[in-house]
Amino acid sequence: MTKIHKRDNIDINHIIESAHVGIWQWDLTSNYAFYSKEFRRQLGYSKVEFSPTFDAFYYRVHPNDRGLIDEAIINCTTGNSNLFQCEYRMRSKDGQ
């Protein structure tokens, strides 16, 4: 990675942290998921308390909203959409 790319990544990370935006990314083939520090912080979890899998995320989605997640996944994996877009509620560590 060049110095410019490293600097750009640092700038992007700083912007994301400053804006208090939580980010997650999921690799469907391996089930590995990345959750940003801010994403976990907003829910009250440390890195070791939130395993890097989609299941860890899905378990914390409000049960009434899981169907919305399922529908968005189906739309993406069947080619109906190339963007995962969905509003859902999540349960934080304190149960809220």
Side-chain angles (χ1 to χ4, degrees):
M1 186 179 289
T2 66
K3 287 182 182 180
I4 292 172
H5 286 114
K6 285 181 184 179
R7 189 191 79 225
D8 289 346
N9 282 339
I10 291 169
D11 290 345
I12 290 168
N13 289 334
H14 179 73
I15 290 166
I16 289 169
E17 286 178 17
S18 298
H20 301 287
V21 175
I23 296 175
W24 64 277
Q25 184 176 0
W26 176 35
D27 180 341
L28 279 72
T29 58
S30 68
N31 197 37
Y32 173 81
F34 165 79
Y35 303 103
S36 70
K37 182 178 179 181
E38 181 63 17
F39 180 90
R40 293 186 315 270
R41 187 198 66 74
Q42 290 175 9
L43 295 173
Y45 291 97
S46 69
K47 189 173 187 174
V48 296
E49 294 174 305
F50 210 107
S51 66
T53 64
F54 179 76
D55 297 337
F57 164 83
Y58 195 78
Y59 172 76
R60 290 169 176 91
V61 171
H62 190 285
N64 293 343
D65 295 346
R66 289 181 185 155
L68 300 170
I69 299 288
D70 296 339
E71 183 178 339
I73 292 170
I74 289 168
N75 285 335
C76 287
T77 57
T78 60
N80 292 330
S81 177
N82 61 358
L83 177 65
F84 181 93
Q85 187 170 352
C86 183
E87 280 192 42
Y88 51 88
R89 297 166 288 173
M90 295 197 68
R91 292 179 292 147
S92 61
K93 184 177 179 177
D94 64 8
Q96 296 183 12

